[in-house]
Amino acid sequence: ALDVVPAGGDRARIYVAPGRYAHDSHPTEGEVFPIQMRDRVQLVGVVECDPEPCVRPVIDGGLLDSPQARPGGGTLMSLIDMPDPQNLLANFIIRNGGEGRTDSTVLVSTTADLIEQGLRSRVTLRGSRIESVTSRNAFSALAVYNTDVVLQDSEVWNSIASGARSLVLISSSTLEMDGCHFQGNNLGEPEAYGMIRLSGSEFEIYNSVFTNNSGNGIMVDADSAGLIVHNSFANVQGKGISILSSDNVIVANNAFAGHTEYALIVPRPVENLLVVSNIFFENFEGQDWPSPSTDGVENIHSVEALEAKPWAFGNFEVDPAFFSPFAGNLRLRDGSPAVDRADPDYSVPADQDGNPRPRGQRADIGAFESVFDP
């Protein structure tokens, strides 16, 4: 379908019916990977919910008989040199990608030729799930270079990134991430970067969930700057947020519960850091990193550790009362102390479910606004 849309014409949208699209999905006309997206051509999966459960089109890099075979290579979707502001990839399940030493399942990038023209790719990824992907020394789920990218209502599930890497890399780019969910992933090594690595980028991450993962949550480095607000972290084998290098980061209205290491680590002095109105609960103290004597190390697991920090205020140490964290449901139970505790200066107008904030006098801490009467 992408091949037959006229080049250089008006914007176009291709609707893809539910089903499995793979190397072996047709005897003579299987998919050829990577699928090359085109500027000004949107690719939108059709979601069918009658009868339940809802089904979406599946882009599968493996074979039915051998999901790990991946005959088409590790990159399944390629979005390169796409400067149109309405570029969109929506409503897909993308599975069994990665595998190669340097392959990301979804690659989004801008080449030097386009940058020299004063342009860069602009892409929205919405309503999709990347699952069961792996790599040996790459960013297995998504790699973004020199691009303005929006991630909305998307998921990364049950994926592996070994070799001390990340599932998602955002490099020299801008990221707006709203309502995303990272669950059941494994970074393979304790000192891997994180589920998301932000390198030399500007970002806004809100209303997102990180739960039941093995590996750190978010790493901020290379003088990245931005907001991490109204997110929920629970049952993490690793750290929550690592701020290695930045010039302006705000961490506000988040809930951190059940980390095996520090919820927040700041291993060197950072300019213009604010840690505001977050909840910390049962996060293990762990070991000082890189070493107990490193100047400027701040290992934060509790409100006590934040006392007297000029860049921290309004934080709480209390059980946020998530509904069912081991099942990945971090909505708030009735009576949660997270209700009406968010700082209004760093709030957003809706939660992950689309419920308006606030329902009470203030918004609630975490990715979800309570549905119970205030």
Side-chain angles (χ1 to χ4, degrees):
L2 287 165
D3 290 341
V4 301
V5 173
D10 295 334
R11 290 190 180 106
R13 175 178 291 177
I14 297 170
Y15 290 99
V16 182
R20 178 175 173 272
Y21 298 85
H23 184 81
D24 60 346
S25 59
H26 188 278
T28 60
E29 298 176 341
E31 292 294 337
V32 176
F33 295 114
I35 296 171
Q36 302 282 351
M37 290 281 290
R38 286 173 44 191
D39 191 39
R40 301 173 62 83
V41 181
Q42 299 179 344
L43 199 62
V44 178
V46 175
V47 181
E48 293 183 353
C49 296
D50 187 16
E52 294 280 358
C54 296
V55 293
R56 290 177 279 179
V58 176
I59 296 173
D60 192 344
L63 304 176
L64 278 176
D65 294 336
S66 180
Q68 302 303 313
R70 296 169 188 170
T75 299
L76 304 184
M77 304 292 298
S78 179
L79 297 83
I80 298 176
D81 286 353
M82 299 177 59
D84 188 82
Q86 296 190 32
N87 287 318
L88 175 66
L89 175 65
N91 304 338
F92 285 87
I93 294 175
I94 305 172
R95 65 165 61 120
N96 294 324
E99 187 60 30
R101 293 191 60 83
T102 60
D103 292 326
S104 301
T105 300
V106 180
L107 173 63
V108 184
S109 183
T110 307
T111 64
D113 288 343
L114 196 64
I115 292 173
E116 287 177 359
Q117 301 175 40
L119 300 172
R120 56 196 274 154
S121 294
R122 304 170 68 181
V123 173
T124 295
L125 304 174
R126 178 184 302 150
S128 295
R129 180 191 302 162
I130 300 175
E131 65 179 17
S132 302
V133 304
T134 188
S135 68
R136 294 191 296 276
N137 195 26
F139 304 94
S140 59
L142 170 67
V144 178
Y145 302 94
N146 300 299
T147 295
D148 299 328
V149 64
V150 177
L151 298 180
Q152 294 178 332
D153 304 323
S154 293
E155 302 161 328
V156 180
W157 284 13
N158 303 326
S159 294
I160 297 172
S162 61
R165 293 290 179 171
S166 302
L167 295 171
V168 174
L169 170 67
I170 308 296
S171 177
S172 301
S173 299
T174 66
L175 168 69
E176 179 184 346
M177 188 172 101
D178 180 15
C180 295
H181 195 145
F182 288 72
Q183 179 170 318
N185 303 295
N186 186 348
L187 296 186
E189 297 184 19
E191 296 309 322
Y193 297 133
M195 301 292 145
I196 301 173
R197 182 188 181 192
L198 298 154
S199 179
S201 296
E202 298 179 2
F203 59 89
E204 296 181 2
I205 298 174
Y206 44 91
N207 291 333
S208 294
V209 168
F210 299 78
T211 183
N212 300 322
N213 297 302
S214 179
N216 304 326
I218 300 172
M219 173 180 279
V220 181
D221 69 4
D223 293 323
S224 294
L227 307 173
I228 303 174
V229 299
H230 278 299
N231 303 287
S232 297
F233 301 77
N235 294 342
V236 174
Q237 299 293 311
K239 306 175 185 71
I241 300 174
S242 302
I243 302 176
L244 280 80
S245 173
S246 75
D247 55 14
N248 192 335
V249 174
I250 296 173
V251 179
N253 301 337
N254 304 285
F256 302 90
H259 290 74
T260 61
E261 298 185 46
Y262 295 99
L264 174 64
I265 181 169
V266 187
R268 56 185 65 92
V270 172
E271 297 292 331
N272 300 317
L273 171 65
L274 286 176
V275 178
V276 181
S277 296
N278 302 281
I279 283 179
F280 297 86
F281 182 68
E282 291 189 345
N283 300 298
F284 180 61
E285 295 185 25
Q287 299 295 317
D288 285 337
W289 182 86
S291 73
S293 61
T294 301
D295 182 42
V297 170
E298 302 287 358
N299 298 301
I300 308 303
H301 64 281
S302 66
V303 171
E304 180 182 1
L306 286 169
E307 289 182 354
K309 301 296 189 297
W311 39 263
F313 57 90
N315 299 285
F316 313 96
E317 184 154 9
V318 64
D319 185 352
F322 292 136
F323 187 82
S324 182
F326 287 101
N329 185 350
L330 302 191
R331 293 170 179 83
L332 302 176
R333 297 200 308 266
D334 191 12
S336 167
V339 173
D340 285 358
R341 302 291 289 274
D343 189 306
D345 290 338
Y346 306 105
S347 193
V348 292
D351 74 354
Q352 187 179 113
D353 289 333
N355 298 315
R357 299 183 191 266
R359 294 187 71 243
Q361 293 182 348
R362 288 188 173 191
D364 304 340
I365 291 175
F368 300 98
E369 195 77 357
S370 172
V371 299
F372 300 99
D373 290 336

Short mmCIF file of all heavy atoms in Angstrom, two decimals, residues 106-128:
data_model
loop_
_atom_site.label_atom_id
_atom_site.label_comp_id
_atom_site.label_asym_id
_atom_site.label_seq_id
_atom_site.Cartn_x
_atom_site.Cartn_y
_atom_site.Cartn_z
N VAL A 106 11.81 -0.18 15.95
CA VAL A 106 11.32 1.00 15.23
C VAL A 106 12.43 2.04 15.23
O VAL A 106 12.95 2.41 16.29
CB VAL A 106 10.05 1.57 15.89
CG1 VAL A 106 9.56 2.80 15.13
CG2 VAL A 106 8.95 0.51 15.95
N LEU A 107 12.81 2.51 14.06
CA LEU A 107 13.87 3.49 13.89
C LEU A 107 13.28 4.77 13.34
O LEU A 107 12.62 4.76 12.29
CB LEU A 107 14.94 2.97 12.94
CG LEU A 107 16.05 3.96 12.54
CD1 LEU A 107 16.86 4.39 13.76
CD2 LEU A 107 16.95 3.35 11.47
N VAL A 108 13.51 5.89 14.03
CA VAL A 108 13.04 7.21 13.59
C VAL A 108 14.24 8.13 13.53
O VAL A 108 14.96 8.30 14.52
CB VAL A 108 11.98 7.77 14.57
CG1 VAL A 108 11.42 9.08 14.03
CG2 VAL A 108 10.86 6.76 14.80
N SER A 109 14.46 8.76 12.37
CA SER A 109 15.71 9.51 12.23
C SER A 109 15.58 10.59 11.16
O SER A 109 14.65 10.60 10.34
CB SER A 109 16.85 8.55 11.85
OG SER A 109 18.08 9.22 11.78
N THR A 110 16.55 11.51 11.19
CA THR A 110 16.70 12.54 10.17
C THR A 110 18.13 12.50 9.66
O THR A 110 19.07 12.52 10.46
CB THR A 110 16.40 13.94 10.76
OG1 THR A 110 15.14 13.93 11.40
CG2 THR A 110 16.41 14.99 9.66
N THR A 111 18.30 12.43 8.35
CA THR A 111 19.64 12.39 7.80
C THR A 111 20.27 13.78 7.75
O THR A 111 19.58 14.81 7.84
CB THR A 111 19.64 11.79 6.39
OG1 THR A 111 18.89 12.66 5.51
CG2 THR A 111 19.01 10.40 6.37
N ALA A 112 21.58 13.80 7.58
CA ALA A 112 22.31 15.07 7.52
C ALA A 112 21.83 15.95 6.37
O ALA A 112 21.79 17.18 6.48
CB ALA A 112 23.80 14.80 7.40
N ASP A 113 21.44 15.34 5.24
CA ASP A 113 20.98 16.12 4.08
C ASP A 113 19.75 16.94 4.44
O ASP A 113 19.65 18.12 4.06
CB ASP A 113 20.67 15.18 2.91
CG ASP A 113 21.91 14.58 2.29
OD1 ASP A 113 23.01 15.12 2.54
OD2 ASP A 113 21.79 13.57 1.57
N LEU A 114 18.81 16.36 5.16
CA LEU A 114 17.60 17.09 5.54
C LEU A 114 17.90 18.15 6.59
O LEU A 114 17.36 19.26 6.55
CB LEU A 114 16.53 16.12 6.05
CG LEU A 114 15.10 16.67 6.11
CD1 LEU A 114 14.60 17.01 4.72
CD2 LEU A 114 14.15 15.67 6.76
N ILE A 115 18.78 17.82 7.53
CA ILE A 115 19.15 18.78 8.56
C ILE A 115 19.81 20.00 7.94
O ILE A 115 19.58 21.14 8.37
CB ILE A 115 20.08 18.11 9.59
CG1 ILE A 115 19.31 17.06 10.39
CG2 ILE A 115 20.68 19.15 10.53
CD1 ILE A 115 20.16 16.24 11.32
N GLU A 116 20.61 19.80 6.89
CA GLU A 116 21.27 20.92 6.21
C GLU A 116 20.25 21.85 5.55
O GLU A 116 20.52 23.03 5.32
CB GLU A 116 22.24 20.39 5.16
CG GLU A 116 23.51 19.78 5.76
CD GLU A 116 24.42 19.20 4.70
OE1 GLU A 116 24.06 19.28 3.50
OE2 GLU A 116 25.50 18.69 5.06
N GLN A 117 19.05 21.35 5.27
CA GLN A 117 17.98 22.16 4.71
C GLN A 117 17.18 22.88 5.80
O GLN A 117 16.19 23.56 5.51
CB GLN A 117 17.03 21.29 3.89
CG GLN A 117 17.67 20.57 2.73
CD GLN A 117 16.70 19.62 2.03
OE1 GLN A 117 15.53 19.94 1.84
NE2 GLN A 117 17.20 18.44 1.65
N GLY A 118 17.60 22.70 7.05
CA GLY A 118 16.89 23.32 8.15
C GLY A 118 15.63 22.57 8.57
O GLY A 118 14.76 23.14 9.23
N LEU A 119 15.55 21.28 8.22
CA LEU A 119 14.37 20.48 8.53
C LEU A 119 14.76 19.29 9.39
O LEU A 119 15.92 18.91 9.47
CB LEU A 119 13.72 19.98 7.23
CG LEU A 119 13.23 21.05 6.25
CD1 LEU A 119 12.79 20.40 4.95
CD2 LEU A 119 12.08 21.86 6.86
N ARG A 120 13.76 18.68 10.04
CA ARG A 120 13.95 17.44 10.76
C ARG A 120 12.65 16.67 10.77
O ARG A 120 11.57 17.24 10.57
CB ARG A 120 14.46 17.68 12.19
CG ARG A 120 13.60 18.58 13.02
CD ARG A 120 14.37 19.05 14.23
NE ARG A 120 14.30 18.13 15.36
CZ ARG A 120 15.23 18.06 16.30
NH1 ARG A 120 16.32 18.79 16.22
NH2 ARG A 120 15.09 17.24 17.33
N SER A 121 12.75 15.38 10.99
CA SER A 121 11.56 14.53 10.99
C SER A 121 10.64 14.91 12.14
O SER A 121 11.09 15.32 13.23
CB SER A 121 11.96 13.06 11.09
OG SER A 121 12.66 12.64 9.94
N ARG A 122 9.32 14.73 11.92
CA ARG A 122 8.31 15.00 12.92
C ARG A 122 7.30 13.86 12.86
O ARG A 122 6.61 13.69 11.85
CB ARG A 122 7.65 16.36 12.67
CG ARG A 122 8.66 17.51 12.62
CD ARG A 122 8.04 18.81 12.14
NE ARG A 122 7.09 19.35 13.10
CZ ARG A 122 6.40 20.48 12.89
NH1 ARG A 122 6.57 21.15 11.75
NH2 ARG A 122 5.56 20.94 13.80
N VAL A 123 7.21 13.09 13.92
CA VAL A 123 6.46 11.84 13.88
C VAL A 123 5.65 11.67 15.16
O VAL A 123 6.14 11.96 16.26
CB VAL A 123 7.42 10.63 13.72
CG1 VAL A 123 6.66 9.32 13.85
CG2 VAL A 123 8.15 10.70 12.38
N THR A 124 4.41 11.19 15.02
CA THR A 124 3.59 10.80 16.17
C THR A 124 3.37 9.29 16.13
O THR A 124 2.96 8.75 15.09
CB THR A 124 2.23 11.52 16.16
OG1 THR A 124 2.45 12.92 16.33
CG2 THR A 124 1.34 11.02 17.29
N LEU A 125 3.66 8.61 17.23
CA LEU A 125 3.38 7.19 17.40
C LEU A 125 2.27 7.09 18.44
O LEU A 125 2.45 7.51 19.59
CB LEU A 125 4.61 6.44 17.86
CG LEU A 125 5.86 6.57 16.98
CD1 LEU A 125 7.05 5.88 17.62
CD2 LEU A 125 5.60 5.99 15.61
N ARG A 126 1.11 6.53 18.06
CA ARG A 126 -0.05 6.58 18.94
C ARG A 126 -0.74 5.20 19.02
O ARG A 126 -0.87 4.50 18.03
CB ARG A 126 -1.05 7.61 18.41
CG ARG A 126 -2.33 7.75 19.20
CD ARG A 126 -3.29 8.72 18.54
NE ARG A 126 -2.69 10.03 18.37
CZ ARG A 126 -2.99 10.87 17.37
NH1 ARG A 126 -3.84 10.50 16.43
NH2 ARG A 126 -2.40 12.05 17.31
N GLY A 127 -1.17 4.87 20.23
CA GLY A 127 -2.04 3.71 20.41
C GLY A 127 -1.44 2.39 19.98
O GLY A 127 -2.16 1.48 19.60
N SER A 128 -0.11 2.25 20.09
CA SER A 128 0.55 1.04 19.62
C SER A 128 1.30 0.36 20.76
O SER A 128 1.56 0.97 21.80
CB SER A 128 1.51 1.35 18.47
OG SER A 128 0.80 1.83 17.33
#
